[in-house]
Amino acid sequence: MNIENPSVSIKQLDLSFGAVNVLNGLNLDIAEGEFLVLLGSSGCGKSTLLNCIAGLLEPTDGQIHIKGKNVTWAEPSERGIGMVFQSYALYPQMTVRGNLSFGLKNARVPKPEIEKRVARAAEVLQIEALLDRKPAALSGGQRQRVAIGRALVRDVDVFLFDEPLSNLDAKLRADLRVELKRLHNQLQNTMIYVTHDQVEAMTLANRIAIMKDGNIMQLGTPDEIYNQPQNLYVADFIGSPSMNFLNGTLENGTFACRDLTLPMSGYAFAAPQVADDAAVIGIRPEHIITGELVAGAPVKTQVLIDLVEPMGSDTLVYAQVDGKPFRIRMDGQARVAMGETLDIGIDPARASLFDQNTEARL
Amino acid sequence: MSASTTNLTGPTGPKPKSGVTVASFFVYGTLFIMALYYLAPLYVMITTSLKTMPEIRQGDVFALPRDITFQPWFDAWRSENTGAVSRGLSDGFWNSVTITIPSVILSISIASVNGYALANWPFKGATVFFTILIFGAFIPYQLMLYPIVILLKNIGLYGDLGGLIIVHTIFGMPILTLLFRNYFSTLPSELFSAARIDGAGFWGIFFRVMLPMSVPIVVVAVILQITGIWNDFLFGVVYARSETWPMTVQLNNIVNSTFGEKEYNVNMAATILTGLVPLTVYLVSGKLFVRGIAAGAVKG
Ligand SMILES: Nc1ncnc2c1ncn2[C@@H]1O[C@H](COP(=O)(O)OP(=O)(O)O)[C@@H](O)[C@H]1O
Ligand SMILES: [Mg+2]
């Protein structure tokens, strides 16, 4: 996908800490007004990439362009970015007002203008009542709002978020997530958002970049990432509980393993011609057909229930297929018990096939 | 759920506190003995300083003074009877004040900036610089005594209070820089990043963000420096003249005076007077000191 006039453009970025290469020739274009999420497990280099964009880390090689300008050598404050950190990073000795206006004072913005912008940001984030408090007297959610406000007042083109919700408890995290999405709809700024939480990524992103060891494993819309993972890593990483994988062989358009034979006629292959080879099929727990619908399923089989986890909204069933653990997500009202056999159906068209050697999508 | 009350048997509610146990007896006993051990000399000093010489000559050091007299304290502060060179402690006191205040301010100002730069602004050779600095903290002072005499003579400050101020500032540098560097390293680096994004520079971040958060460590540094410099004897003896002697050197001259009879009451009063400044500093800032030490000791 080519983006014209990208808001942020990362070109062949290398970064190493001494002998450790964290980023290797990374390329990434982010469109104007896009909400891009960098998603990956801890230590994969998300923060490092974000810090390079912010100018807090000097790249070992490569360039960073923001709004068409090469800012590789520019100071963080000159790049037109605002950043929100996981630990809030509020100045503890300043009031909320002081925190919000610190950047503007440094930029010698006239006083009336500062007041106007602080008031506007406070209104957008609903922190007007907190302006004269010190950060210590705020709750976690309020602190993070102030931190967002600090980026907001500076009228920047690009917002950078480094796991902004990770320090909050589950309920607040969900609330603030929705607020962030509203804020993006309202402001239409470019936002680059780092997280290891796939729910945040799926709900917020226009596009997700899944990272592993400093490489982007897949870049695509949440829908693409979820339905057409381009490799085994992405397939395994996205989805909770994660995808069921079965090892087998692909022969004449039919996948076969010890317990199952799946004709892949409805499956959209990535390439028109696929050689017969060892393959892995991935089936999401929520794509397994149960109940009355099994009768109409393309492939039917039976499993023995190992364990049942009722979660209210849905019920997770653990079983075994081909000697490997197999998870099935059922309706919360399903009445199943350990030790029973369960009829299930599989639609190969919704599955994902991967080459066992290259781990790439077939 | 009913509000009925049933009679519960067995342990209920808070566990009853046991009285004196063997363990607490030993803990408090040990603490009591240690306290006595440290308080006894202080008791002797204070009582002796309030006695007259005839009373002291009679013997019992632990007896309370019969006729309380403050004359020894006046003699210690300003007296001419302690030998040819000594003139009481008052001159030494003012010398010590003149040495201590600028040295404390100067050394802490420089060391805090050094520590901040080392912790937050990685520069080429920072580790080498830091290693040399740490090494400096372990070099025995005696090795440098004479070279510094020559140095001070060359710049014309030998024997001056200014020379002593320079010496104290330089010798305080390794440990103070280490103290500040370690403290600034414990502050979240994201705070520093946020300030850079907010467009603050080297000094802006130092004065507006870092320094306001450094009160505990500044207090520790002030206490370390005040007591260290006030209690210094070696540099005072080597680098000062009789007019610029600090209080500790004056005290030594009084106590070790070989003229006439030993005036124990004056000696005791003089010793207490000399120790009064560091003692006051400790008492005033004890809580802050402990908090600061704890804050600075977390990371190395
Ligand atoms: N200052 C540093 N010095 C050395 N290695 C670092 C430094 N910062 C990060 N790393 C390493 O770089 C890798 C990526 O870190 P980071 O970008 O923070 O990961 P995350 O994706 O969790 O944000 C990790 O393996 C980490 O150990
Ligand atoms: Mg991170």
Side-chain angles (χ1 to χ4, degrees), chain A residues 41-48 51 86 162-163 194-196, chain B residues 190:
Chain A
S41 50
S42 157
C44 71
K46 307 177 299 284
S47 299
T48 305
N51 285 334
Q86 177 177 353
D162 193 350
E163 311 218 11
V194 163
T195 184
H196 65 260
Chain B
E190 294 185 340

Side-chain angles (χ1 to χ4, degrees), chain A residues 282-314:
Chain A
I283 307 162
R284 294 207 178 277
E286 53 271 35
H287 290 168
I288 292 161
I289 303 158
T290 56
E292 291 152 15
L293 296 172
V294 174
V299 178
K300 307 175 193 64
T301 187
Q302 273 195 334
V303 292
L304 182 71
I305 298 176
D306 275 348
L307 191 79
V308 177
E309 269 188 341
M311 304 210 287
S313 59
D314 43 33

Side-chain angles (χ1 to χ4, degrees), chain B residues 65-89:
Chain B
R66 258 177 283 126
D67 315 303
I68 289 181
T69 167
F70 290 100
Q71 194 53 45
W73 290 75
F74 293 112
D75 288 347
W77 182 248
R78 171 157 295 291
S79 71
E80 303 292 335
N81 65 348
T82 47
V85 278
S86 308
R87 293 152 306 150
L89 285 173

Side-chain angles (χ1 to χ4, degrees), chain A residues 18-216:
Chain A
V20 187
N21 291 335
V22 180
L23 304 174
N24 274 314
L26 191 135
N27 288 294
L28 181 62
D29 281 350
I30 299 151
E32 187 72 52
E34 180 170 12
F35 200 122
L36 182 102
V37 173
L38 298 171
L39 177 65
S41 50
S42 157
C44 71
K46 307 177 299 284
S47 299
T48 305
L49 175 56
L50 205 66
N51 285 334
C52 284
I53 298 172
L56 297 168
L57 278 177
E58 274 205 325
T60 314
D61 206 349
Q63 299 182 339
I64 289 156
H65 295 243
I66 295 178
K67 286 252 163 184
K69 246 177 48 196
N70 184 345
V71 295
T72 312
W73 291 348
E75 280 294 303
S77 54
E78 298 163 349
R79 296 187 176 205
I81 50 127
M83 190 157 171
V84 178
F85 300 89
Q86 177 177 353
S87 65
Y88 322 126
L90 299 178
Y91 312 120
Q93 309 297 333
M94 298 182 199
T95 60
V96 169
R97 194 190 302 281
N99 268 280
L100 293 179
S101 50
F102 185 60
L104 300 176
K105 280 184 196 152
N106 287 325
R108 309 204 188 290
V109 175
K111 241 200 179 126
E113 173 69 14
I114 293 182
E115 270 164 33
K116 218 175 71 194
R117 289 211 217 164
V118 168
R120 198 191 57 202
E123 193 197 321
V124 170
L125 297 166
Q126 295 165 13
I127 48 172
E128 289 121 313
L130 312 174
L131 279 176
D132 294 312
R133 287 202 204 163
K134 291 265 180 74
L138 302 178
S139 70
Q142 291 170 331
R143 281 181 208 179
Q144 201 51 290
R145 278 206 189 90
V146 175
I148 294 169
R150 200 164 55 179
L152 210 60
V153 288
R154 297 182 54 237
D155 254 348
V156 290
D157 305 315
V158 180
F159 278 64
L160 307 175
F161 296 91
D162 193 350
E163 311 218 11
L165 308 182
S166 297
N167 277 9
L168 304 173
D169 59 52
K171 169 112 175 51
L172 253 174
R173 202 180 313 157
D175 292 350
L176 219 55
R177 197 174 69 211
V178 175
E179 274 187 50
L180 267 177
K181 191 155 188 165
R182 285 224 176 84
L183 193 70
H184 181 245
N185 288 338
Q186 187 182 341
L187 301 173
Q188 293 295 323
N189 286 47
T190 308
M191 295 189 174
I192 306 176
Y193 187 103
V194 163
T195 184
H196 65 260
D197 180 326
Q198 45 172 305
V199 178
E200 276 172 32
M202 295 297 280
T203 53
L204 288 170
N206 296 131
R207 282 194 305 162
I208 299 174
I210 299 210
M211 288 181 69
K212 181 200 176 197
D213 298 337
N215 298 310
I216 295 180

Side-chain angles (χ1 to χ4, degrees), chain B residues 38-233:
Chain B
Y38 281 102
L39 282 175
L42 187 66
Y43 167 80
V44 171
M45 284 177 71
I46 292 174
T47 49
T48 308
S49 73
L50 297 173
K51 291 175 186 170
T52 58
M53 274 317 287
E55 193 180 336
I56 291 170
R57 259 181 246 112
Q58 284 173 4
D60 192 356
V61 282
F62 287 106
L64 283 168
R66 258 177 283 126
D67 315 303
I68 289 181
T69 167
F70 290 100
Q71 194 53 45
W73 290 75
F74 293 112
D75 288 347
W77 182 248
R78 171 157 295 291
S79 71
E80 303 292 335
N81 65 348
T82 47
V85 278
S86 308
R87 293 152 306 150
L89 285 173
S90 63
D91 287 345
F93 174 82
W94 290 114
N95 283 338
S96 281
V97 168
T98 318
I99 294 163
T100 303
I101 290 178
S103 303
V104 169
I105 293 173
L106 211 59
S107 59
I108 291 176
S109 307
I110 299 172
S112 58
V113 177
N114 282 351
Y116 158 68
L118 279 169
N120 289 309
W121 297 88
F123 53 92
K124 255 206 172 75
T127 31
V128 175
F129 179 76
F130 190 62
T131 314
I132 292 172
L133 205 72
I134 299 285
F135 189 64
F138 294 106
I139 293 180
Y141 291 162
Q142 293 84 327
L143 277 182
M144 299 199 263
L145 276 182
Y146 190 61
I148 287 178
V149 169
I150 295 175
L151 191 88
L152 289 178
K153 268 197 175 132
N154 276 331
I155 57 174
L157 285 175
Y158 181 64
D160 277 8
L161 292 175
L164 267 173
I165 291 169
I166 291 175
V167 170
H168 281 301
T169 303
I170 291 172
F171 277 95
M173 218 37 59
I175 190 71
L176 286 184
T177 305
L178 186 67
L179 192 75
F180 276 102
R181 190 206 77 118
N182 286 358
Y183 180 78
F184 287 129
S185 307
T186 61
L187 298 182
S189 66
E190 294 185 340
L191 210 56
F192 176 74
S193 299
R196 280 189 70 194
I197 288 172
D198 268 340
F202 183 92
W203 295 109
I205 297 176
F206 181 65
F207 284 113
R208 306 281 305 280
V209 180
M210 295 299 180
L211 215 50
M213 296 175 69
S214 311
V215 176
I217 206 69
V218 169
V219 170
V220 170
V222 167
I223 294 171
L224 278 181
Q225 284 298 86
I226 289 186
T227 50
I229 295 169
W230 191 271
N231 290 340
D232 162 69
F233 178 76

Side-chain angles (χ1 to χ4, degrees), chain B residues 31-42:
Chain B
L31 287 176
F32 182 73
I33 291 167
M34 292 298 283
L36 270 189
Y37 180 78
Y38 281 102
L39 282 175
L42 187 66

Side-chain angles (χ1 to χ4, degrees), chain A residues 255-269:
Chain A
F255 175 87
C257 60
R258 214 179 53 215
D259 289 3
L260 276 176
T261 305
L262 301 167
M264 303 302 293
S265 46
Y267 181 77
F269 281 94

